[in-house]
Amino acid sequence: MYPAIKHLHMTLAMISILGFMLRAVWLFSQSSLLHKKPVKILPHIIDTLLLASGITLMVITTQYPAILNWVTLKLVFIVCYIVFGILTFKAQAKNKQILFFLLAIGTVFAVLHLAFGKPVY
């Protein structure tokens, strides 16, 4: 069961990241696709499933925040990614949108580093 949930989690993570990047492209190109109802709803469904699979993995592997520093740091970066992602789409000025987008992508790389490397801090 663990490998299936792990693969589901990694697949949902990639779909979530690619979806964010596609929506950012639509934002920067001022595409009307960004305002379609499925584009507004689908990320919430994917991210909810991603969160549920992450919590399931955490319980199965007993790798809890506050016990393992890398898990705690990963959660901090995930919260930062969410905040920067929201700010990307809420910002009015193009330069702020770009800044928040780059910060969001930077936190994605930090999360991936922690997820694949599981470094000890």
Side-chain angles (χ1 to χ4, degrees):
M1 180 148 159
Y2 167 75
I5 294 173
K6 181 179 177 182
H7 289 294
L8 174 66
H9 182 72
M10 292 182 343
T11 301
L12 288 167
M14 292 314 302
I15 292 169
S16 178
I17 294 164
L18 291 172
F20 172 71
M21 293 175 73
L22 178 60
R23 288 181 293 131
V25 167
W26 289 341
L27 174 70
F28 297 135
S29 66
Q30 299 177 343
S31 172
S32 63
L33 292 171
L34 186 62
H35 305 291
K36 300 289 182 185
K37 192 170 187 173
V39 174
K40 293 190 175 285
I41 295 172
L42 206 53
H44 297 293
I45 295 169
I46 292 166
D47 291 343
T48 299
L49 293 171
L50 178 61
L51 177 64
S53 65
I55 291 170
T56 302
L57 281 173
M58 186 178 62
V59 171
I60 288 172
T61 62
T62 64
Q63 296 179 338
Y64 301 109
I67 294 174
L68 295 171
N69 290 338
W70 73 268
V71 177
T72 306
L73 190 54
K74 183 178 171 186
L75 285 174
V76 169
F77 281 131
I78 290 170
V79 170
C80 291
Y81 167 66
I82 292 167
V83 170
F84 292 143
I86 291 169
L87 291 173
T88 298
F89 294 100
K90 297 282 185 191
Q92 299 298 314
K94 184 72 79 182
N95 62 341
K96 287 185 180 180
Q97 291 172 339
I98 293 169
L99 172 65
F100 291 130
F101 172 76
L102 292 174
L103 289 170
I105 294 302
T107 58
V108 165
F109 283 113
V111 168
L112 291 174
H113 168 72
L114 292 168
F116 287 111
K118 297 173 184 57
V120 179
Y121 294 108

